[in-house]
Each structure stands twice: as structure tokens, then as C-alpha cells.
Amino acid sequence: RRPLREYVKYLTVRDHWLSQREHGTPFYGNSWTPFLTHEAMRDHVGRMSFVEDLVEEDGPLGVLSRKLTKVFFGPPATVTRLHHDTYSLHAWLSQVRGRKQFVLYPKSQAHLLHAGEGECAGECAGEGAGAGEGTCCDAAQSWFDPTAPDYRRFPRARRATPHVAVLEEGDTLFCPAGWFHYAIALSPSITLMRNFFNSANADRFVEGWNAAHSLQTQPQPQP
């Protein structure tokens, strides 16, 4: 944990002391949610004109709406691993600064991407109670790297069809619910992202949300 001002220096100052502690992976400002605590920032985020968004900004869903709007920022080579977003949510991603490459696959190709297979990492540990040994903890994720494909480890991925886009500043990408996507920053990058549901996926969102947040009650032993 570092102050934001220190992280910004790391992004902009060559040979910053934090760069000596990367251990091969740049530090990623991943999934920051400033809109929860900085009310004034909410006025800077609008809705997409080309797709319906039913998550209300005020009222009972207001806090959820602010949680679903996030900022990703970091130096070149920061990576968001191949995955699809939870609760069957759509997403749009707008590039505020820098350039970022996205590789997307339709949800019908999850099997080809070996989703849910592979060794668990520390970030994933404990997230999928009941997952078998040697399997990924979350079927919404894949260890396949489309920028450095290992077809010996992931042979079915040869038959997957990637959709590739490079976002420049001001570009916005829409990722439908269930679509797998991978992202890598090509330069110092700031990306604004919003998850949401509409009439196409509201039922699936409610079902997934309730299943994840329902209380598990244990049967009481009979006397």
C-alpha cells in the first residue's frame, strides 16, 4: 500500500524506486472505486448512449452502481488476465489516457479457452470452495495467455476465435455479459470501466447475485 501520489510518480518518473521491487511484474492500480467516497467525481461519468443500463445511480442501487464503476491504471505491460465478469454483467471500458490492447472471445468458447482449468494462484485461493485439486478456483477465469499462446498446455485454444482491439484515448469498448476478455497496457494507462445489467441480462444478474450472497443455513440435529 502506497499513497496515490507516490504511485503516480512511479508511473511517470523513470527509475522510480518502486520499479526496483517489481519482481518481473509491474504494480497495477486495479479496480479502484473512487466514486464511493468522492461524490463530486460521479458527475464526470455518464452512461453509454448505445446500450441500455438499468443500474440506477440513486435509490436502493446507488451504492452498487458506484461499486460497479471502477478505474484501472498502471504502467506499460500491466495485464488483466483472461476472464469474464461476475454475475453475468455487461461492461464498457473507456480509455482515458494511454493505449490498451484487448483480446475478447465469445462465451460459447469457454471450453476452448480451458476456462476453470489450471493451477490455482494465491489471488484465487479460497475463492471456489469445493474446487478440485489441480483445477482453477473460478470457471470465469482462464490461464491461457492470448499474447503468448502455449498450445501444448492449452491445445483447444487453437480453435478459439479472438476479437482484438487497441483502445486509443477517447475510445470505448463494449463487452457483453459472459464474453472472456484479456487486457494489456501498451503505455502508461488509465481506463474507466463500468459493469451493469439491462433487460438482456437482469434475470441472470439477480440469480447469480442472490446465489452468491444468500445465507447458508445448516439443518438442526433432531433430538
Side-chain angles (χ1 to χ4, degrees):
R1 293 182 178 273
R2 306 300 307 171
L4 180 60
R5 69 174 70 90
E6 193 69 28
Y7 186 72
V8 172
K9 289 180 182 178
Y10 162 69
L11 299 183
T12 57
V13 176
R14 188 174 182 179
D15 297 327
H16 187 274
W17 66 269
L18 275 174
S19 63
Q20 308 303 315
R21 303 188 179 187
E22 290 178 343
H23 302 292
T25 304
F27 294 111
Y28 194 4
N30 188 327
S31 300
W32 182 38
T33 54
F35 308 98
L36 281 169
T37 52
H38 300 280
E39 291 286 326
M41 294 184 70
R42 294 168 57 187
D43 297 333
H44 296 281
V45 181
R47 303 295 179 96
M48 297 295 100
S49 61
F50 56 84
V51 63
E52 180 186 39
D53 183 341
L54 295 180
V55 187
E56 298 176 357
E57 187 63 30
D58 298 305
L61 295 180
V63 173
L64 175 63
S65 178
R66 293 189 285 280
K67 285 182 177 180
L68 294 178
T69 308
K70 303 177 182 179
V71 177
F72 295 74
F73 57 116
T78 48
V79 168
T80 301
R81 189 160 54 85
L82 191 61
H83 71 289
H84 72 74
D85 291 347
T86 56
Y87 307 124
S88 298
L89 289 167
H90 302 310
W92 56 253
L93 304 104
S94 290
Q95 196 64 18
V96 180
R97 289 288 184 269
R99 305 171 71 239
K100 182 173 283 188
Q101 182 180 32
F102 288 84
V103 184
L104 300 93
Y105 299 86
K107 59 183 179 180
S108 60
Q109 297 187 2
H111 175 68
L112 299 181
L113 299 174
H114 297 257
E117 300 177 16
E119 297 179 358
C120 291
E123 69 198 65
C124 195
E127 288 183 6
E133 184 177 355
T135 63
C136 183
C137 300
D138 190 346
Q141 302 181 58
S142 170
W143 290 101
F144 176 66
D145 182 350
T147 63
D150 183 350
Y151 293 124
R152 295 186 63 183
R153 184 180 177 191
F154 305 101
R156 295 192 300 273
R158 288 185 180 274
R159 295 184 280 125
T161 303
H163 300 257
V164 183
V166 174
L167 294 196
E168 308 284 349
E169 293 182 9
D171 289 343
T172 295
L173 173 74
F174 171 57
C175 181
W179 275 57
F180 284 80
H181 48 289
Y182 170 101
I184 181 169
L186 304 179
S187 66
S189 170
I190 302 176
T191 307
L192 177 67
M193 185 278 286
R194 177 172 173 80
N195 282 126
F196 64 99
F197 60 81
N198 55 26
S199 55
N201 63 330
D203 290 345
R204 283 177 290 152
F205 164 75
V206 171
E207 181 182 357
W209 179 272
N210 288 341
H213 293 83
S214 62
L215 295 177
Q216 300 297 321
T217 58
Q218 298 296 323
Q220 298 297 316
Q222 296 297 318

